[in-house]
Amino acid sequence: MVARSSIGQLAIAAASLTPQHTCVDALEYFASHPEQDLLPIVSEGLPVGLVVRQSFVERFSRPFQHELFGSKSCSLFMDRAPLLADENESIAELGAMAATEPRRAIQHGLIVTANGRYVGTCSGPTLMRALADVQVARSRQVLEGIRYASRIQRAFLHTSNENLAEHLPQHRVFWEPRDLVGGDYYFCRGDQDRVLVAVLDCTGHGVPGALMTMIMSAKLEASISDVDSWRPSDILASINRRARAALGQRHSKDIEDDGPDDGPDDGMDASIVLIDRRERRLQFAGARLPVFVAYAGQPSWNCLPAGRAGVGYADTPDDSEWPISETPLEAGMRVAIATDGMFDQVGEARAIAYGKARFANSLGTGSRELDANFEATLMRYRQWQGNQARRDDATLLMFEV
């Protein structure tokens, strides 16, 4: 079906009657034009009303209507204020007009004009099909744009995937946006002695969340360049300052005037892990996202807690600091980092969130092969979710040192 852009393309140049024509003339019109449901009433080229077949014929099927009204003007039973649309008006613009009087637009249709003069009619079903086509076309364009954005976002993770493969070959990643794009992002960079791994959970999901990942990942890159030691807590502090400045975050504590605090409030939760092979240590700092560590041969995982403040938010001051945890680096040590999409998922059998404690238990034993360990963790998570809809973007990154 060819998309149509203006209402004039939908118009049918139906014959019209004048107010001087009688109701009998109108009945004969409908009888001789079975395809027409609308009868425009026009005086000197100007539309003055619209007679609708269904209601008009229905009236004259009643007893004595012919005798009472047959010789009277057909304008007696016309809609004296029909919907009018100029032939050059776009169908999209007409949708706003139809929305104000949806019943009339759907049931009666409208009269199409050119400089106020009668051109033709457009039935309600024809109008609704055209409006539906416009919405389908718009939705298709939006969906195609989001699909392209999804390819861009996945390509944006390519460098981190390469760095993970080079510096942490024993690793697995589960990255699943709730929608085609999302607000979760993972990052890896390394050199001969150090590997830095970060998982970011940005405000929102879908397109807004994806835009936030672009902003926050740029601030992460800039902060790493500024923090020579790659100390995770210093990186978080740097991102916080940069993000608040870039997003124009405002809070009543930060401004002198008494104006309303109506600025944005966006930011992220994050986990940043530094593997320092030269110093044989693992350092961690987190903003509301903990990290889980298991030593080789040990059956349980230890949770390294995160700081309570988020990064970049209006209520997170520029001088905020995040606590740093440090633990000895041992061969075979495993690390697991997950976003809130894992913790907050409501289960099918029990309408409660999965939670950090249940997630920690799902990690199982660190003595199994990493692939088996990772798949078992995901299996328990999916079993918990069941048929419940995904609530948020979800990421799980597990690696072995």
Side-chain angles (χ1 to χ4, degrees), residues 102-141:
R103 187 184 66 81
R104 291 178 66 201
I106 294 171
Q107 293 186 356
H108 296 180
L110 50 83
I111 292 176
V112 181
T113 62
N115 297 319
R117 301 186 69 82
Y118 172 72
V119 169
T121 61
C122 176
S123 69
T126 299
L127 173 61
M128 292 302 106
R129 282 195 298 271
L131 290 172
D133 289 342
V134 169
Q135 292 303 317
V136 168
R138 284 180 172 176
S139 297
R140 186 181 297 114
Q141 289 177 345

Side-chain angles (χ1 to χ4, degrees), residues 15-79:
S16 62
L17 298 184
T18 69
Q20 285 70 45
H21 284 91
T22 67
C23 291
V24 169
D25 294 330
L27 286 169
E28 291 176 351
Y29 174 92
F30 284 125
S32 60
H33 297 81
E35 77 285 358
Q36 296 294 334
D37 291 324
L38 302 176
L39 168 57
I41 308 301
V42 178
S43 177
E44 298 181 354
L46 302 176
V48 295
L50 190 65
V51 177
V52 180
R53 172 192 288 273
Q54 182 177 355
S55 58
F56 186 79
V57 173
E58 216 173 71
R59 170 177 284 276
F60 277 86
S61 66
R62 302 171 192 168
F64 310 114
Q65 297 300 299
H66 282 267
E67 292 81 359
L68 291 172
F69 302 109
S71 60
K72 295 185 180 299
S73 170
C74 61
S75 63
L76 186 64
F77 299 108
M78 72 181 182
D79 179 355

Side-chain angles (χ1 to χ4, degrees), residues 132-321:
D133 289 342
V134 169
Q135 292 303 317
V136 168
R138 284 180 172 176
S139 297
R140 186 181 297 114
Q141 289 177 345
V142 170
L143 185 58
E144 288 174 355
I146 294 175
R147 283 175 176 159
Y148 189 71
S150 176
R151 291 197 294 271
I152 293 173
Q153 189 173 40
R154 291 176 185 275
F156 199 57
L157 294 168
H158 178 69
T159 300
S160 290
N161 287 328
E162 287 187 334
N163 287 335
L164 282 168
E166 178 182 355
H167 300 292
L168 296 168
Q170 293 296 314
H171 77 275
R172 292 289 302 276
V173 180
F174 169 70
W175 180 80
E176 192 169 279
R178 194 198 73 169
D179 307 310
L180 288 174
V181 292
D184 282 5
Y185 176 76
Y186 59 90
F187 173 91
C188 179
R189 175 178 290 183
D191 57 28
Q192 185 176 357
D193 298 319
R194 302 172 300 175
V195 183
L196 189 75
V197 177
V199 172
L200 314 182
D201 183 356
C202 299
T203 302
H205 40 73
V207 174
L211 289 174
M212 284 297 297
T213 65
M214 303 297 284
I215 295 171
M216 290 303 189
S217 62
K219 303 311 170 190
L220 171 62
E221 293 267 12
S223 297
I224 291 172
S225 298
D226 280 356
V227 179
D228 292 335
S229 66
W230 287 7
R231 183 177 170 85
S233 55
D234 293 343
I235 292 174
L236 284 177
S238 177
I239 297 173
N240 182 58
R241 292 190 297 271
R242 293 172 182 273
R244 279 168 53 86
L247 296 170
Q249 306 285 34
R250 300 172 64 243
H251 192 274
S252 57
K253 293 187 297 184
D254 303 330
I255 56 178
E256 298 295 333
D257 62 7
D258 296 324
D261 180 18
D262 56 357
D265 191 13
D266 301 300
M268 70 173 185
D269 299 344
S271 284
I272 300 182
V273 172
L274 173 63
I275 300 163
D276 190 334
R277 293 191 171 112
R278 183 174 51 193
E279 299 293 334
R280 303 301 303 165
R281 65 186 179 183
L282 180 148
Q283 290 184 326
F284 161 73
R288 303 200 288 222
L289 286 184
V291 69
F292 300 86
V293 176
Y295 290 96
Q298 291 191 1
S300 60
W301 292 70
N302 299 320
C303 177
L304 304 182
R308 294 185 177 182
V311 175
Y313 290 99
D315 60 356
T316 306
D318 280 355
D319 58 356
S320 295
E321 296 181 355

